[in-house]
């Protein structure tokens, strides 16, 4: 059976499974739609949380970033992993004890204000749509390469699948679909990693293979060989970084605290029966997440080593089929600058952004790249989002492994996209309609509006997937920065500060979101020519500026809250009740 047939088979079977689960677990009430009825088992919730958490950025893009950035790419690994620990220990149990449906619900009740609720909804929508853009781009990349359809059509197909199980099943359907998606994505990630680790080092455990000696007789460990190989080509060492320490710190911290403010992950802890179950599911999720995150550095290193050894100085006419496959959809580009007919891979980027191609082919058969400046020596453009997907092909693994990776990439992107779209629809139907503008709305009408909101959100997500503002992990990093600057301080102070009042929280959220959003838009879209350390504030890149936005949020909130009366006594009692340890009294286990 051909690889193409296997890919259609694997993807078709997994999509059928997701749709069947959605039909089986159709939401019959708003509680089913918002929090899956509140009765999900901690292990199932841990798997669903892991799938929600491990998005296209984790599955597709993170190892690609590590492959090309080396040491500097570790900021994503440290930030996202540490952020989940921060969320699980610092916020999740308290929010579950609060017992509402959404993050804006908590902010609205805690700050006793419709304005605070509306501002939280706006922050959530802004963050979620920024995040979901990366997921839909990941869906398009997988479809375009492995199912040989246009990227835009791939996004539309992904939208259709998400529409069925998100609109029909709500959180109940999404939860059990995500359990299946976790099994698919983790199997798809680990199988090729084990294969490749064994081929390169003789050790089938990727985490150990990363530090093991290669089997080529050189006597070098994987990282030593990668360092030497890249230095011979003119690159810097793979294991040393180029980023300024302050930027590394800022990006890592922004990703950590941004994680703790991500609404689609927080809402997962509302789906379990009690507070102790929220803690248990957080622990299970951490184990499930660690399986992928401890494997990613090895996958990135193996991918870069295999790519260089396979491509550099290879005559284009003898280039492997996978190179030309990715070239055909515009995610690899080559321009023969020295006219030798061979692919030269060296330092520097030959052009910025996805390549554009002339209709004609080059003299050696290559698709002629139209936007490659001749002053740069490197002849090859590689979209870093393809490395995990291309890795099995580069290593000549069996066709069923390649098909499995395609299904896993789609599972990762769709699971997170569904979670994000659900919190958007929930915020609109529950927080804006039910709790703010139409308090007397009936439950059937609220459920209808929730489904209509989900359908609308899917449409917007599809547009962002077709017109993405960057590569997957970069877009996701912006979302984390925005969450760090807006939602995290309001949630943190809502739990741990009895003094924080409405005006302080609202002013802080607005200040943090406005500053961070403006900084990102300025350097990424208005003046990308100034996007370098020389022009950044304190040397902090747009990916890390959420830290400054967070500090601004805290500063503005604390300053303004002191100018106005403290919260009412019943709100202060609510804060004390939330913070009572879960095991202190049976009465608190609601």
């Amino acid at each position: 059976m051909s690889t193409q047939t296997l890919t259609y088979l694997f993807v078709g079977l997994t999509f059928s499974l997701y749709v069947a689960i959605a039909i089986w677990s159709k939401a019959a009430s708003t509680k089913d739609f918002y929090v899956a009825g509140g009765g999900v088992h901690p292990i199932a919730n841990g798997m669903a949380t892991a799938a929600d958490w491990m998005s296209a950025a984790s599955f597709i893009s993170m190892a690609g970033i590590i492959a090309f950035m080396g040491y500097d790419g570790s900021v994503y690994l440290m930030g996202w992993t540490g952020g989940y620990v921060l969320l699980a220990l610092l916020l999740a149990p308290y929010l579950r004890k609060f017992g509402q449906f959404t993050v804006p619900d908590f902010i609205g009740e805690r700050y006793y204000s419709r304005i605070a609720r509306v501002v939280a909804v706006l922050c959530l929508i802004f963050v979620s749509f920024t995040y979901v853009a990366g997921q839909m781009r990941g869906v398009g990349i997988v479809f375009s390469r492995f199912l040989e359809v246009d990227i835009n059509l791939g996004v539309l197909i992904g939208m259709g699948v998400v529409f069925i199980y998100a609109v029909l099943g709500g959180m109940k359907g999404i939860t059990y679909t995500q359990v299946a998606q976790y099994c698919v994505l983790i199997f798809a990630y680990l199988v090729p990693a084990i294969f490749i680790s064994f081929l390169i080092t003789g050790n089938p455990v990727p985490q150990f293979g990363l530090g093991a000696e290669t089997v080529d007789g050189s006597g070098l460990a994987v990282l030593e060989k990668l360092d030497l190989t890249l230095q011979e080509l003119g690159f810097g060492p793979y294991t040393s970084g180029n980023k300024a320490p302050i930027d590394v710190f800022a990006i890592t911290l922004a990703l950590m605290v941004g994680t703790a403010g991500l609404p689609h992950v927080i809402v997962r802890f509302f789906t379990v029966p009690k507070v102790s179950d929220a803690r248990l599911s957080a622990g299970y999720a951490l184990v499930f997440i660690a399986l992928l995150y401890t494997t990613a550095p090895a996958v990135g290193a193996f991918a870069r080593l295999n790519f260089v050894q396979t491509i550099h100085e290879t005559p284009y006419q003898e280039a492997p089929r996978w190179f030309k496959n990715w070239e055909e959809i515009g995610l690899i580009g080559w321009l023969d600058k020295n006219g030798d007919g061979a692919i030269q891979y060296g330092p520097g980027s030959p052009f910025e952004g996805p390549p554009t191609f002339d209709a004609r082919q080059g003299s050696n058969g290559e698709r002629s790249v139209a936007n490659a400046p001749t002053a740069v020596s490197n002849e090859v453009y590689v979209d870093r989002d393809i490395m995990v997907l291309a890795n099995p092909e580069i290593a000549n693994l069996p066709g069923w492994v390649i098909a499995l990776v395609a299904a896993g990439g789609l599972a990762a992107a769709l699971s997170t996209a569904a979670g994000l779209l659900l919190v958007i629809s929930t915020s609109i139907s529950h927080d804006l309609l039910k709790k703010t503008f139409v308090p007397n709305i009936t439950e059937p009408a609220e459920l209808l509006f929730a489904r209509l909101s989900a359908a609308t959100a899917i449409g917007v997500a599809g547009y962002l997937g077709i017109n993405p503002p960057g590569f997957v992990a970069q877009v996701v990093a912006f979302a984390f920065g925005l969450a760090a600057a807006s939602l995290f301080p309001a949630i943190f102070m809502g739990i741990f500060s009895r003094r924080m009042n409405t005006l302080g929280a609202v002013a802080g959220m607005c200040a943090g979101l406005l500053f961070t959003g403006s900084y990102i838009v300025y350097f990424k879209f208005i003046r990308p020519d100034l996007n370098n350390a020389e022009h950044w504030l304190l040397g902090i890149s747009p990916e890390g500026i959420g830290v400054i936005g967070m500090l601004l949020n805290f500063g503005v909130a604390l300053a303004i809250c002191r100018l106005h009366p403290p919260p009412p006594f019943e709100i202060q009692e609510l804060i004390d009740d939330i913070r009572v340890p879960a095991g202190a009294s049976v009465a608190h286990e609601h």
Side-chain angles (χ1 to χ4, degrees), residues 153 158 213 253 258 275 316-317 341 343 395 424 501 513 526 528 536 552-553 562:
L153 178 59
E213 185 177 308
L253 185 57
V275 179
Y316 181 74
Q317 301 298 338
I343 301 168
I424 292 170
N501 54 28
L513 184 66
I526 298 176
W536 293 336
L552 180 64
N553 186 331
R562 294 295 174 183

Side-chain angles (χ1 to χ4, degrees), residues 67 209 241 275 281 354 383:
V275 179
S281 61
D383 188 305

